[in-house]
Amino acid sequence: RGEALSSIAAVCQVELITKTAENLTGYRYKIEGGKETLFEEIGAPEGTTFIVKGYKYRVTSNLVKNPTVTVVGYKNKKLAKVNVVSAVNYKKVNFKVTAIGNKAFKNQKKTKSIVIGKNVKTIGTQAFAGDSKVKKIKVKSTVLSKVGSKAFTGIDKKAIIKVPAKQLKSYKKMMKNKGQKKTVKITK
């Protein structure tokens, strides 16, 4: 019952999280020894999946100050250009796109070019495997820290991967042996 909450909060540590079913955000309220220590808005539950402009996203962090998602795929296999944006807005929450999931765009047979947004830190295993018509990949991210195995298996043997100039050396090393043919060039 509600009236007991204030008595309990006066002598205990209480954390209350509340969110209505129709909203993507809710609130976290912490009270310790009768004193308010935290009141913040929180985002969608982690693991929530949603679709924006055909791209499928999974929530990986619901912190209001830094909500993040992983792009996990596209609604069909007819995508001519993969464009992983830096952020996506869903139900009034602006999520940073920080990862491309495992097999996210696998076997997109019509895809010819890929753009990877500036907030992407991770490209998953086999993310673009089997995308045989891909000739251009542009990496805008300067924070990329991991590329999964076989991420580029089966892309066109004459493909060019363009990366930020300052990251050329480290990205060449990171992207080495990720499934692409040795003829694929990584340039600035």
Side-chain angles (χ1 to χ4, degrees):
R1 291 182 32 180
E3 63 269 8
L5 188 58
S6 61
S7 298
I8 294 168
V11 294
C12 297
Q13 292 178 334
V14 176
E15 181 176 353
L16 173 69
I17 298 174
T18 181
K19 182 179 94 58
T20 59
E22 65 273 3
N23 289 328
L24 197 59
T25 60
Y27 295 94
R28 180 183 352 214
Y29 188 52
K30 279 188 179 181
I31 303 169
E32 295 179 12
K35 292 189 176 23
E36 181 181 311
T37 58
L38 177 72
F39 182 74
E40 67 180 349
E41 189 175 19
I42 59 172
E46 292 180 24
T48 299
T49 302
F50 58 88
I51 298 174
V52 175
K53 295 185 180 175
Y55 290 89
K56 296 177 189 174
Y57 299 93
R58 184 180 63 245
V59 176
T60 51
S61 170
N62 61 2
L63 298 175
V64 168
K65 292 177 183 171
N66 190 25
T68 61
V69 292
T70 295
V71 61
V72 294
Y74 191 74
K75 66 181 178 184
N76 62 45
K77 297 287 182 190
K78 297 177 181 175
L79 189 59
K81 179 181 179 181
V82 171
N83 186 19
V84 178
V85 294
S86 59
V88 62
N89 197 297
Y90 181 71
K91 292 194 175 183
K92 298 181 183 177
V93 177
N94 197 39
F95 293 91
K96 280 186 182 178
V97 181
T98 58
I100 299 168
N102 296 340
K103 301 179 183 179
F105 299 101
K106 186 177 181 179
N107 295 323
Q108 284 282 353
K109 300 292 185 191
K110 298 196 182 273
T111 300
K112 294 181 181 178
S113 66
I114 298 166
V115 176
I116 297 172
K118 68 179 184 177
N119 294 320
V120 173
K121 296 176 183 177
T122 306
I123 298 173
T125 300
Q126 296 184 12
F128 303 104
D131 296 3
S132 57
K133 291 186 179 177
V134 170
K135 293 193 183 214
K136 291 193 297 186
I137 299 174
K138 182 175 184 177
V139 179
K140 292 182 176 180
S141 176
T142 58
V143 294
L144 189 64
S145 60
K146 183 181 178 198
V147 178
S149 66
K150 301 180 183 177
F152 303 113
T153 298
I155 65 170
D156 191 279
K157 65 183 179 181
K158 294 180 182 177
I160 295 173
I161 302 173
K162 287 191 175 191
V163 301
K166 289 183 178 180
Q167 278 72 30
L168 180 62
K169 187 176 177 181
S170 64
Y171 282 15
K172 271 187 172 182
K173 186 177 178 182
M174 190 185 318
M175 292 179 178
K176 187 176 181 181
N177 299 322
K178 298 303 177 181
Q180 71 273 29
K181 300 281 185 201
K182 300 229 184 271
T183 54
V184 171
K185 292 185 176 154
I186 301 171
T187 65
K188 57 182 177 176

